[in-house]
Each structure stands twice: as C-alpha cells, then as structure tokens.
Amino acid sequence: MITLLLVDDEESTLLGLSTLPWGNIGVTEVFLASSAFEAIETVNLQGIDIVVSDIRMPGLSGVDLLMKLTEDPYNIKGILLSGYADFEYAKQAIQAKVLNYLLKPCSDEELLKAVQQAIEIIQKDRKEMIERQQLVKQLCEDPIWVGEKVLSYWLKNPPTIPELTKSIGEYQLPISIEDHYLYFEIRCSSKKECSIIEQKAVKYLSGHSFIMMLKSTDQNIISGLFIFGTNNKIETDQFNYELLSDLKQYLLVNFQIECTINTSDVYKLRDLSKLTEIKNSSLDQNLTIPSKTRGEVLVHRAQHYLYLKLSENPTLQDAAYYLNVHPAYLSKIFKEGSGEKFSEYVHRLKMEKAAYQIENTNKKINQIAKEIGYNDSSYFIKVFKKFYSKTPHEFRGG
C-alpha cells in the first residue's frame, strides 16, 4: 500500500494533480491539502508515504514542510514543485532531503516518473526492513547464524567506529561500542566432536553474554566473540573466563569430549579493528582451570546468571528454572559450594555492585538503585547503610 499527499495552495492546480493516473504506478490512495499545516495534520492522521508539494505557499513553505517530514519519525519521501529556477530554492531542497525538484510547468509524465521512483525506494526500504526483522529473530535463536552473517564480515572487513555503530544499528544487535569482548577458539579432535560442541556450546552459553560463533573449520576449530557489558569490567571478565572454563568441564563430564579453549585478552568493542590481528595471532591464553565437580559448575552458572539478571530481582526459583534443577537442590548445592545462602549471596552481590557504581561512576543514586532491582531509592539507601554503615552519599564522599 502506497499513500500519496498532494499539497498546493491553488485549488485548481491541486484538483488537476489529483486526476493523474496514480493507480497505474502503484499509488493506492491520494490525499489533498491546501497548506503545509493541513498537510502535517493529514500526515499525522493518515500515515503518508510520499508528499508532492508546491514550494511557495502562505505560512509554512514547501521546503519547511518537507524539512520536517523527511526526518524521523516521519521519513516521508518528498518531491518539490517550483515555478522558479532559483539556485537558492534548489539548495534548500537539497537541505530538505527531497528526492526530486521539478520546475513548473512540468509534464504529467515527469511527475508520474518522479513519484514512481519514490515508490521503488519505499518498496526497497520495506523489503530491507522485513529482512532486518527476520535477521533479529534469527539472531536471538542462533549465535552461529549471526556469527556467519555478521562476524565473518567484520573479520574480512575490519570496521571503523562509525561503520561498527552503523552495523550494530542495522542488525539491531543488543550491544554497544562501549561493551567489551574477548575472542575465543575451541579446538576439538574431530568433526563429530565439533558438531556436538557447536550445539551444546550454544545452549550452554545461551542467556549469558552476547555470543557470536563461527562454524568449525577444516582444522576442527570453533571460534567466536564473547561480548559483555561495561559495568565492573574486571569482575565481568572473570565471570566469562569461568563460564568458558565451566563449558570445558561440562563437555568433558557429560560427553567425554576433551577440548582446548583459548582466549584473547579483553578489548573494548570500539577496538574491533584489532580483531583480524587477534585471530591471526597465537592465542596462548589456554583455559587450564582445574576440573570441577558438577556441583561446582552448577554454582558458577548460578552465580553468573544472578550477575546478569540482578536488576530483575532473580529468585531461587528463577535460577533453578533456568538451570533446570529443583530449587531445593540448588539451595543445598549453592550453600555447600559458595559458603553462603542463595539470598545472602544475592544481597551481597547487589551491595557490592552498588558500591562499585557509587565509587567509580557519576550515576545518580536512584539510577544505581534501579540497576540492582530497587525501585524505591529511600529503601535502597536504608539497606545500603545497614550493609556498609554509611549512606551512599557518605560512601561516595569517602
């Protein structure tokens, strides 16, 4: 469906334009407006795709009108009609991002052709939007797919910061250039093992930091990016190293697959241009953390889950459901493995994260409170003071 709005303060001209065979080029509905203000009202009511406007009208000019309508949230395609071959008008038309600038009197064929070009652009934009929506849906379901689509391109064409920002926006990736990443490689002994690891690794890592993975190579190497947020970088790094180590143990215990996991150092995503160099270098940071029992792995996974979901006030039942175990079993294993009750650990984690934010950022206290699950900042201040014997403001002031 394509809607067209014709704008001109001369009624005879407007009626004449309305009689053109718009339906033959794909326009489904035509609206008329005799002023820029009436045009804006029509746009707000009807949702217009293309506006054809006279340039000189009382009050708001056609240039001013399209200057407004070609920007967000409208993003309408604009065409200007002018009876003056004036450079200043043409310059203003360019500033208004119009698709076409036609001099009166223009033929019907010229105007129809200009509108048809606008329709082709709209149809292309709509097709790309549908593809992006499908991509986002796929992205949420398959880290390997997005790795093959996005990460492989970044490796071949290391992006600049503007290119990276644009790419993140286009693919609607849930990350920012201020996030951190580490590159990892999982080396296995056969294609069969690689196939199992691809499936199990995606499931195991799902729900944690954002993952992009590439399919295994002829050398039986699975690689990817582990992308995580900006808060408390050192602690987050440790969580992600441990998560990958737990994955290694999980594969060994459950599938008798002994693999090697190598990682790079941690970098900011804005330094993604280093990625090709990192990939081509020898990753000698082999994860050789001692083997853990199933219970220890479960506790680490629970702790990582709590760290990521802290603002959502995760409960024992939430964590047990996520880890696919009974809450009573998780409570027992958690106390044995960490030395703390589940609720005590969550409370301490919240207070430590709040303290870090208070000391190292300029965020407002109520914002910090919300980030750790306290909507009532007064209650948060009371709880914080009980834990640290200082109010957040006293803590920040030293």
Side-chain angles (χ1 to χ4, degrees):
M1 181 176 177
I2 298 290
T3 52
L4 171 69
L5 174 62
L6 304 172
V7 189
D8 200 302
D9 61 319
E10 292 184 9
E11 186 178 354
S12 58
T13 302
L14 200 57
L15 291 174
L17 291 174
S18 69
T19 61
L20 295 181
W22 298 113
N24 293 349
I25 61 169
V27 174
T28 50
E29 200 165 3
V30 178
F31 296 88
L32 307 179
S34 57
S35 71
F37 299 106
E38 187 182 348
I40 292 171
E41 186 178 345
T42 303
V43 166
N44 289 328
L45 288 173
Q46 303 297 338
I48 302 298
D49 296 308
I50 303 167
V51 171
V52 176
S53 175
D54 185 24
I55 201 167
R56 295 191 70 179
M57 294 183 293
L60 207 62
S61 72
V63 170
D64 293 330
L65 171 65
L66 291 182
M67 193 85 75
K68 180 180 180 67
L69 297 182
T70 53
E71 297 293 339
D72 289 335
Y74 300 107
N75 289 317
I76 287 170
K77 308 305 176 191
I79 297 169
L80 277 175
L81 303 176
S82 175
Y84 302 87
D86 188 294
F87 174 74
E88 190 57 36
Y89 278 134
K91 183 180 174 182
Q92 290 175 5
I94 291 170
Q95 290 174 341
K97 298 179 184 176
V98 300
L99 291 181
N100 228 312
Y101 179 80
L102 302 177
L103 288 176
K104 293 180 181 178
C106 66
S107 67
D108 293 350
E109 289 75 18
E110 280 183 288
L111 183 54
L112 288 167
K113 185 179 178 181
V115 173
Q116 191 165 22
Q117 288 172 343
I119 291 172
E120 289 170 0
I121 292 171
I122 290 169
Q123 290 171 338
K124 181 172 178 267
D125 289 346
R126 287 177 179 175
K127 182 182 176 184
E128 289 177 353
M129 184 180 70
I130 291 170
E131 288 174 352
R132 281 197 297 272
Q133 290 171 343
Q134 291 171 339
L135 176 63
V136 171
K137 184 172 181 285
Q138 190 107 33
L139 187 140
C140 297
E141 298 171 353
D142 192 346
I144 292 179
W145 189 89
V146 73
E148 293 293 319
K149 183 78 175 179
V150 181
L151 180 54
S152 59
Y153 179 80
W154 286 349
L155 284 167
K156 292 173 187 172
N157 307 277
T160 61
I161 291 177
E163 289 169 344
L164 178 61
T165 303
K166 182 181 178 183
S167 184
I168 288 171
E170 284 180 347
Y171 288 105
Q172 298 181 40
L173 302 178
I175 55 178
S176 91
I177 61 169
E178 297 305 322
D179 287 346
H180 297 90
Y181 75 91
L182 63 82
Y183 175 78
F184 65 87
E185 288 182 350
I186 305 174
R187 297 171 181 265
C188 39
S189 58
S190 68
K191 280 289 180 187
K192 183 179 178 181
E193 286 189 356
C194 281
S195 179
I196 293 172
I197 290 173
E198 283 176 356
Q199 295 172 31
K200 301 304 176 183
V202 167
K203 185 176 180 181
Y204 192 90
L205 299 172
S206 172
H208 294 280
S209 304
F210 185 71
I211 312 292
M212 292 182 176
M213 290 178 64
L214 297 175
K215 289 181 180 177
S216 57
T217 64
D218 293 338
Q219 290 78 36
N220 297 327
I221 298 174
I222 301 167
S223 58
L225 287 190
F226 216 63
I227 303 173
F228 44 96
T230 56
N231 293 337
N232 202 346
K233 176 181 174 296
I234 295 173
E235 187 175 348
T236 310
D237 294 353
Q238 186 61 31
F239 266 125
N240 287 308
Y241 284 128
E242 288 186 356
L243 187 66
L244 287 169
S245 299
D246 289 346
L247 170 63
K248 182 178 178 180
Q249 179 69 11
Y250 168 77
L251 293 169
L252 179 61
V253 171
N254 292 280
F255 304 98
Q256 293 73 55
I257 294 176
E258 189 164 1
C259 62
T260 302
I261 302 181
N262 295 318
T263 72
S264 71
D265 289 329
V266 174
Y267 300 90
K268 271 205 169 183
L269 204 57
R270 60 168 51 248
D271 298 324
L272 196 65
S273 56
K274 297 177 181 177
L275 185 57
T276 304
E277 179 186 339
I278 295 166
K279 185 177 184 297
N280 292 334
S281 65
S282 279
L283 296 181
D284 52 11
Q285 198 165 331
N286 185 19
L287 294 173
T288 54
I289 294 175
S291 296
K292 302 171 185 175
T293 65
R294 286 174 185 255
E296 288 173 322
V297 171
L298 188 67
V299 170
H300 274 292
R301 290 189 69 200
Q303 288 173 332
H304 195 267
Y305 170 82
L306 292 172
Y307 183 82
L308 293 171
K309 300 292 182 180
L310 208 54
S311 64
E312 300 173 21
N313 286 318
T315 64
L316 177 65
Q317 287 72 23
D318 293 332
Y321 179 80
Y322 173 78
L323 297 167
N324 198 28
V325 295
H326 194 279
Y329 174 72
L330 177 60
S331 178
K332 178 176 179 292
I333 291 295
F334 195 93
K335 179 72 166 65
E336 291 174 356
S338 69
E340 291 178 283
K341 290 181 180 178
F342 184 91
S343 57
E344 291 172 345
Y345 178 83
V346 172
H347 182 61
R348 180 174 64 79
L349 190 61
K350 285 187 173 187
M351 294 300 100
E352 288 178 353
K353 185 173 181 180
Y356 178 87
Q357 296 276 12
I358 291 167
E359 273 193 318
N360 296 281
T361 74
N362 294 320
K363 290 180 181 178
K364 294 180 179 178
I365 300 302
N366 64 341
Q367 182 183 350
I368 293 172
K370 285 181 180 178
E371 287 182 3
I372 59 169
Y374 290 93
N375 291 321
D376 185 343
S377 58
S378 298
Y379 180 65
F380 163 71
I381 291 169
K382 182 180 177 181
V383 171
F384 188 90
K385 184 176 181 180
K386 185 176 180 181
F387 191 86
Y388 284 106
S389 301
K390 289 182 179 182
T391 67
H393 291 94
E394 289 169 344
F395 195 91
R396 177 168 273 169

